[in-house]
Every structure is written in C-alpha cells, then in structure tokens.
Amino acid sequence: MRHQTALEYGEPILADTSSTDAFVEFERVQKSYDGEILVVKDLNLSMPRGEFLTMLGPSGSGKTTTLMMLAGFETATHGDIRLGGISINNIPPHKRGIGMVFQNYALFPHMTVAENLSFPLEVRKMGKSEREAKVKRALDMVQMGDFGGRRPAQLSGGQQQRIALARALVFEAELVLMDEPLGALDKQLREHMQFEIKRIADNLGITVVYVTHDQTEALTMSDRVAVFDDGRIQQLAPPDQLYEAPENSFVAQFIGENNTLEGVIKEISGGRALVELDDGELIDCKPVNVSKPGERTRVSIRPERVEYNKSRLQEGAHTLKAEVLEFIYMGDIFRTRLRVAGNDEFIIKTRNAPDVERLVPGQQIEIGWLPDDCRALDA
Ligand SMILES: Nc1ncnc2c1ncn2[C@@H]1O[C@H](COP(=O)(O)OP(=O)(O)O)[C@@H](O)[C@H]1O
Ligand SMILES: [Mg+2]
C-alpha cells in the first residue's frame, strides 16, 4: 500500500467547473500490468456529482486497479478517464483533487491527530489560522472534535478510521475514494461506520467511489453498485435492482441468497421462456439472459419469492413438487431447505405468521412462484 503524503493532495482542479451531468467518467478503459493479461477490460462508467458508488466484487476482479487509475497511481493502458469533463490521464495524482481512504490508514504515529490533519495543509503553505479552522471542521465532521491532541496509538480502531476519513475530507475534495476502509474493524463497528460514512458523504454532498467485497456493505451504503468480476462490470444498478433483477448468473449468485435450477430453453415468446428442467419438468420463466431454444440456462429464484401455503399461492403461480429436507425456525422467518427438481440446496424463506404451516423433514409439499420471479439466465 502506498503511504499517502501531503504531496499527493492538491487543489481540486475542477473547483469552478459548472455542473456537468457526468462528474466521473471511464470510457473504454483497459489495464494490463504485464502487457498481456487485461485485469480491467473495457470499463465504461459515468457518475453524476454527489453519487455514492460502490465497486463490489471478489478478490482479484480489478476493483483496486480501477480505483488506482482514477486516483492516478496507475495509468490506464487504453481508454479515457475524465473528471468534470476533463481528461485526467496525464494529470498527476496530487493535482486531481481527490481524497483517499485505505484499509490500513497509516496515520503518522509521532504526530497528534490535529498535526496529522494539519501537516499536509502546512506543506502546501496554508496559513496557521486557516489550517486550524479546516482541521477543526474536518474533526467535527467525524465527531472527533475533542481528540485533536491525542496520538493515533491512544485511539481505538474505529476512531483511527474516523481520523483517516477526516484527513481525506480536510481538503474539501469533491471526490473521495475509499478502498475497503472498514476491512480491519470488527463487525459491530463496521456496521456503525458504514452508517457514519454514508451520513457524512450525504451531508457534504461529496462524490464517493467505495470499494468492498462485502455485499451487505455495498447494498446498505450505495446509490449504485458496480458488480465486478474478471475485470468487467457485470451489472451497474441501484441495490434493489441488483437484488431483484440480476442480469446474469454471476450477479444473481453474488448478491444475496439465490436458488438455481438448470435446464434447457424450449421456447421464447411473449415475454416468457419455457424451460425444461433437467428432471423433465416444464416451467415458465422470464427470459433475461437467454436468446434461443436449445440453449442451456440457469433459472434463478429468490428464497422469499417461493410460497408453499396453498391459500397464499398467487394466481398464475407455477407449482412444483418438493421434499422438505430441513426446517429451521428463526423467529421472524422460517428457513426451509428443500429438494426441488434434483436440487438438494433449494432454500425458501417464509415470514412467520399464525397461518403458516411449520414443515417437517420428509414431508412432501407443493411450492409455487410467479413466472416473473423466476429468471432464465446464462448457464
Ligand atoms: N501492481 C500489480 N502488478 C501486477 N499485477 C497486479 C498488480 N496489482 C494487481 N494486480 C493483479 O490484477 C488483478 C486485479 O487486482 P486488483 O485490482 O487488486 O483486484 P481487487 O481489488 O478486485 O481484489 C489481480 O489478478 C492482481 O493479481
Ligand atoms: Mg482490492
């Protein structure tokens, strides 16, 4: 990891540009480290000012590389990156006016919190009173106003992370990049900080590009999420759309819990795909990422969209036979594992209510869902 120094900050180059719709833009961006393998492949992305966008994906999918190109610590091998309509390919990191927060927040241990924040301003020859005002403001933003005199070692992990955030905010950069900033914190603190970061970003109206491999974090914080896999954005959408309308099997599997049934497309017409499951059963689905009969498909169904109470089956619901393998009472919901069309890992979630039957292993039941909740995706 690079240690961020004062020289890597700079005046926002765009302080007075009129608001263009697209603030951050990637156009056909590629990156190769070795001149052969593309770790980022044809990346296209456009963000408006004030957006909180998260890059979510498994390790090695190209998230950090993308962030580093935006920050200017790596150069794109192909394509254009623009900030406020201006191409920044040849602008060095410290002139891009971008604040950064990393997982390992590298505060200077021998300096107080206030000195950590003030130092980069001092290097830029900012006057003492202006410096003090900016440091105070940044510390207040993260509710650490009383901690300016402490050294980093005297702070908890969460407090240090807030200081790292304040350091990224002290320049009043319009754009802040965060790479797994909460990765080192325990679960409770992480959840608290997710909320804090989102609140601060909203209050300041800054634009944030946030990187994580944690889907819950991505869903709770973001205006939009770019799901990365294999150097490509697999889908870019608001959290609810990603969960409810995944466009391919990778996204369906990566976001939330998901059931898949495998089969072959028999027919596509009138917004419906007729799928023959591998055990011979025919079901109607929504054709999402399939094109023609004969093609293999993975059908995706969310656990909470499956119903087994006869009185609750909606009109038009498709029904299938299932065997109960496991029934777990979880208080607010029942979580049931079923064997469906040869799949022993078919999970359904049912909200606990007085009229909902509690199932027992070995029981044969009928389950159903609406064709629209059953998405025919790539195999
Ligand atoms: N400095 C580097 N030199 C060579 N290969 C790198 C370098 N940084 C990352 N990579 C490779 O690029 C790919 C994407 O890495 P990265 O952008 O760090 O992914 P992520 O942040 O999603 O985990 C990985 O295969 C990784 O090994
Ligand atoms: Mg990374």
Side-chain angles (χ1 to χ4, degrees):
M1 195 209 73
R2 287 183 61 112
H3 194 92
Q4 191 163 19
T5 67
L7 296 174
E8 287 164 357
Y9 290 101
E11 287 296 341
I13 51 174
L14 308 157
D16 59 358
T17 41
S18 57
S19 67
T20 46
D21 282 340
F23 180 39
V24 178
E25 290 170 281
F26 286 80
E27 193 185 331
R28 316 218 63 179
V29 169
Q30 298 180 347
K31 173 69 183 177
S32 174
Y33 287 105
D34 60 5
E36 274 182 39
I37 303 161
L38 290 177
V39 299
V40 172
K41 302 165 181 158
D42 197 34
L43 188 87
N44 293 284
L45 179 67
S46 176
M47 288 176 66
R49 271 201 167 70
E51 180 168 54
F52 196 115
L53 182 133
T54 297
M55 296 178 177
L56 169 71
S59 176
S61 58
K63 308 179 298 292
T64 294
T65 300
T66 302
L67 209 65
M68 288 298 149
M69 288 191 287
L70 183 53
F73 300 129
E74 291 291 349
T75 25
T77 353
H78 179 87
D80 201 18
I81 303 175
R82 289 186 293 272
L83 209 49
I86 300 166
S87 179
I88 55 173
N89 291 7
N90 297 316
I91 297 179
H94 64 279
K95 296 219 169 114
R96 294 189 183 195
I98 296 174
M100 292 206 68
V101 190
F102 300 98
Q103 178 174 336
N104 307 313
Y105 21 79
L107 297 171
F108 297 115
H110 59 287
M111 291 184 187
T112 65
V113 162
E115 285 163 356
N116 260 283
L117 264 63
S118 181
F119 175 68
L121 300 174
E122 201 176 324
V123 169
R124 288 167 66 224
K125 313 238 182 311
M126 190 180 281
K128 186 158 186 273
S129 59
E130 194 183 351
R131 250 165 32 218
E132 281 173 0
K134 283 205 194 288
V135 168
K136 182 179 183 317
R137 199 174 117 85
L139 286 177
D140 284 344
M141 269 180 224
V142 296
Q143 292 167 331
M144 292 290 290
D146 296 336
F147 292 80
R150 300 234 192 144
R151 288 187 198 279
Q154 295 170 302
L155 302 175
S156 71
Q159 289 171 332
Q160 289 185 37
Q161 188 57 53
R162 281 189 208 197
I163 300 306
L165 184 60
R167 197 175 53 174
L169 298 172
V170 77
F171 284 91
E172 293 159 12
E174 275 187 276
L175 176 62
V176 177
L177 313 183
M178 305 192 194
D179 195 349
E180 314 237 3
L182 308 180
L185 307 181
D186 64 46
K187 185 169 182 291
Q188 203 182 346
L189 189 54
R190 204 163 63 223
E191 282 168 4
H192 175 74
M193 287 301 293
Q194 287 167 9
F195 176 76
E196 288 276 291
I197 290 175
K198 178 68 174 143
R199 184 183 58 81
I200 291 167
D202 285 350
N203 284 350
L204 295 178
I206 54 176
T207 310
V208 178
V209 184
Y210 192 96
V211 164
T212 183
H213 62 268
D214 180 328
Q215 51 133 334
T216 313
E217 193 162 296
L219 293 181
T220 55
M221 297 178 83
S222 320
D223 297 320
R224 284 192 304 167
V225 180
V227 182
F228 272 66
D229 187 43
D230 193 26
R232 284 184 201 283
I233 295 180
Q234 301 291 324
Q235 189 168 352
L236 173 61
D240 59 340
Q241 267 186 44
L242 275 188
Y243 183 81
E244 285 168 40
E247 280 166 8
N248 60 46
S249 287
F250 178 82
V251 175
Q253 282 297 118
F254 198 74
I255 308 281
E257 206 164 12
N258 180 54
N259 293 301
T260 56
L261 297 174
E262 305 208 6
V264 175
I265 301 287
K266 285 285 156 193
E267 193 184 309
I268 302 179
S269 70
R272 284 282 169 267
L274 182 66
V275 176
E276 183 180 339
L277 299 180
D278 287 349
D279 73 339
E281 191 110 26
L282 289 168
I283 61 171
D284 264 335
C285 300
K286 188 184 173 88
V288 177
N289 195 5
V290 288
S291 55
K292 55 183 188 299
E295 198 177 320
R296 284 201 63 80
T297 180
R298 267 187 177 191
V299 163
S300 152
I301 310 139
R302 294 292 182 196
E304 69 281 9
R305 295 297 166 114
V306 181
E307 191 59 70
Y308 61 83
N309 268 49
K310 287 220 164 50
S311 62
R312 290 175 172 232
L313 277 178
Q314 283 167 281
E315 204 163 315
H318 186 88
T319 60
L320 274 182
K321 291 192 190 328
E323 180 185 340
V324 178
L325 299 178
E326 197 175 9
F327 179 85
I328 301 172
Y329 175 88
M330 297 182 76
D332 56 342
I333 64 157
F334 305 148
R335 189 170 195 280
T336 313
R337 186 164 63 86
L338 303 171
R339 175 176 300 138
V340 179
N343 178 355
D344 282 357
E345 297 294 332
F346 199 97
I347 303 294
I348 65 176
K349 291 178 186 164
T350 313
R351 203 148 58 85
N352 183 359
D355 65 329
V356 175
E357 185 188 350
R358 299 186 190 185
L359 304 169
V360 287
Q363 197 174 344
Q364 303 292 326
I365 58 170
E366 214 164 55
I367 56 169
W369 58 74
L370 294 174
D372 273 346
D373 290 331
C374 165
R375 302 170 65 81
L377 304 173
D378 50 294

